[in-house]
Amino acid sequence: DAGIALEWEAIAAGESLTLSPPQALNLGRILREAVSNLIKHAGSARAHIRLAADATGLRLEVRDFGAGCVNSGSGRGLANMTMRAARIGAEFRMESPASGGCEIRVRLPAARAGRQSDPG
């Protein structure tokens, strides 16, 4: 509905991580805020969302190809995402890649999430 083409990538390698309810809730809210910011501020025709899990942990990346990372200072979105990541022991980064746009990266180390062997 926002006129933005979405590229979605989900990768799980070897092990699955079990998230606690607070981890799942906070990661979901970080994703929601990142996408909301992308729709409102990026001016991008496409976005890429990547969720990857492996033995080292879980990574969430939200990237647009628009105006770059702009912190207008008028909202609490960036501060909330940073706080939510810290609350669950995740690392949070926001950067403007040299090729343009803005990228939000969240990394939850495996030691912070539960691990479960992949049965298949």
Side-chain angles (χ1 to χ4, degrees):
D1 288 349
I4 299 171
L6 174 64
E7 301 164 2
W8 173 262
E9 184 179 10
I11 302 167
E15 291 187 22
S16 61
L17 299 175
T18 303
L19 300 177
S20 69
Q23 289 171 326
L25 175 69
N26 283 288
L27 285 169
R29 292 211 172 141
I30 290 168
L31 174 60
R32 186 174 175 175
E33 181 67 35
V35 170
S36 178
N37 288 345
L38 187 152
I39 291 168
K40 290 178 187 176
H41 306 295
S44 182
R46 72 182 174 112
H48 183 92
I49 298 175
R50 182 175 194 255
L51 183 63
D54 60 24
T56 66
L58 179 84
R59 290 177 311 286
L60 170 65
E61 300 168 359
V62 179
R63 173 137 194 243
D64 69 62
F65 300 86
C69 298
V70 178
N71 185 2
S72 67
S74 63
R76 303 242 335 115
L78 180 58
N80 285 339
M81 287 188 286
T82 302
M83 176 200 61
R84 288 183 180 284
R87 184 180 292 162
I88 61 172
E91 301 164 6
F92 177 87
R93 287 190 357 209
M94 181 176 80
E95 57 189 42
S96 293
S99 58
C102 183
E103 186 167 26
I104 301 290
R105 293 182 181 190
V106 180
R107 183 180 167 277
L108 179 64
R112 301 276 186 190
R115 282 201 242 182
Q116 188 173 18
S117 294
D118 187 6

